[in-house]
Amino acid sequence: EAGVVQSPRYKIIEKKQPVAFWCNPISGHNTLYWYLQNLGQGPELLIRYENEEAVDDSQLPKDRFSAERLKGVDSTLKIQPAELGDSAVYLCASSLGRRSRTIQPYNEQFFGPGTRLTVL
Amino acid sequence: GENVEQHPSTLSVQEGDSAVIKCTYSDSASNYFPWYKQELGKGPQLIIDIRSNVGEKKDQRIAVTLNKTAKHFSLHITETQPEDSAVYFCAASEGTYKYIFGTGTRLKVLA
């Protein structure tokens, strides 16, 4: 079974340019996450989708970051314009999602390889 | 909100020795604690997890212990091998899908 697919793997851009990252989750996974990972740090959640709905975007800097998951499958994260401080690894993850409101959701998250962004 | 502290930040052990990584969390509502291994150029991969109704879990050379009273949990790797060298992250979750990760431990297994 294919894992979470991300592209591109590496991106180098000049500051103030736009950039977009793409993610295809594991087939059948309803929940999709975008994380930011700075060097030497753990991943930090940017946004979480349940199917096509963004249910937690409280940590997404909305002045320059946007995301979409139009058909509830693959997703795109965009930065416009990019700043020097945006240099980091952007990770996508997916999980099965909520199966029942009455039991603990099975929420094991599977990560993609990430996109390493360098802003010059 | 939840805060997860992880120690040590780097750890070097001789091949065959054991390695222990410790994490503490602040939110008593957290009830799920996964551990991830991240190799260079790859995304984090789940290696073991524990839920709050269990005190210890083992999977071959890897074990995790949880002390809910003290709010800390630990990863134990026995008989370490060079391929265990990687960065390890702990995380805590209250079951709402939101993981709070520790800052990572770079483990080096010396041959």
Side-chain angles (χ1 to χ4, degrees):
Chain A
E1 178 183 314
V4 177
V5 179
Q6 289 189 250
S7 69
R9 292 295 315 277
Y10 305 91
K11 189 74 175 179
I12 300 174
I13 60 171
E14 298 277 338
K15 64 180 180 182
K16 301 184 181 179
Q17 294 299 306
V19 64
F21 315 122
W22 177 82
C23 172
N24 187 256
I26 293 173
S27 177
H29 281 195
N30 298 319
T31 307
L32 184 146
Y33 314 75
W34 282 103
Y35 284 90
L36 166 70
Q37 186 176 27
N38 287 305
L39 188 64
Q41 299 294 316
E44 299 173 38
L45 182 68
L46 290 172
I47 189 169
R48 171 170 69 91
Y49 281 92
E50 290 290 344
N51 298 303
E52 65 276 6
E53 181 183 1
V55 295
D56 184 356
D57 62 356
S58 57
Q59 301 303 311
L60 189 72
K62 298 180 183 63
D63 56 337
R64 297 183 300 107
F65 286 66
S66 64
E68 59 184 16
R69 194 185 183 198
L70 295 176
K71 296 183 180 179
V73 181
D74 55 354
S75 175
T76 302
L77 177 69
K78 298 178 181 178
I79 308 175
Q80 183 171 10
E83 297 179 353
L84 294 176
D86 296 332
S87 295
V89 175
Y90 291 82
L91 293 164
C92 179
S94 69
S95 63
L96 279 170
R98 188 176 295 275
R99 293 299 184 92
S100 165
R101 292 184 183 278
T102 60
I103 63 174
Q104 185 79 7
Y106 184 62
N107 57 355
E108 178 182 342
Q109 296 183 23
F110 296 83
F111 284 82
T115 296
R116 180 176 295 279
L117 174 67
T118 301
V119 182
L120 303 176
Chain B
E2 175 67 280
N3 181 52
V4 177
E5 295 189 359
Q6 183 171 346
H7 300 282
S9 57
T10 60
L11 178 60
S12 294
V13 299
Q14 290 292 328
E15 182 178 359
D17 287 351
S18 296
V20 180
I21 303 170
K22 299 181 179 181
C23 289
T24 60
Y25 62 99
S26 60
D27 189 348
S28 57
S30 291
N31 57 16
Y32 177 65
F33 307 91
W35 284 90
Y36 282 82
K37 175 183 181 182
Q38 187 172 25
E39 296 175 298
L40 193 64
K42 297 183 179 180
Q45 182 177 28
L46 180 72
I47 55 171
I48 195 167
D49 57 12
I50 191 167
R51 299 182 189 271
S52 60
N53 58 348
V54 176
E56 181 176 359
K57 183 177 178 180
K58 293 184 71 173
D59 183 4
Q60 300 182 356
R61 298 186 295 109
I62 295 174
V64 58
T65 58
L66 172 65
N67 183 325
K68 284 196 67 180
T69 303
K71 294 186 202 166
H72 65 69
F73 55 112
S74 300
L75 177 71
H76 304 253
I77 306 174
T78 58
E79 301 174 20
T80 53
Q81 300 168 3
E83 52 265 38
D84 294 329
S85 296
V87 179
Y88 292 80
F89 291 98
C90 63
S93 171
E94 58 174 284
T96 59
Y97 301 91
K98 188 166 186 175
Y99 287 12
I100 304 299
F101 284 86
T103 50
T105 296
R106 182 174 298 278
L107 174 64
K108 296 180 183 178
V109 179
L110 307 172

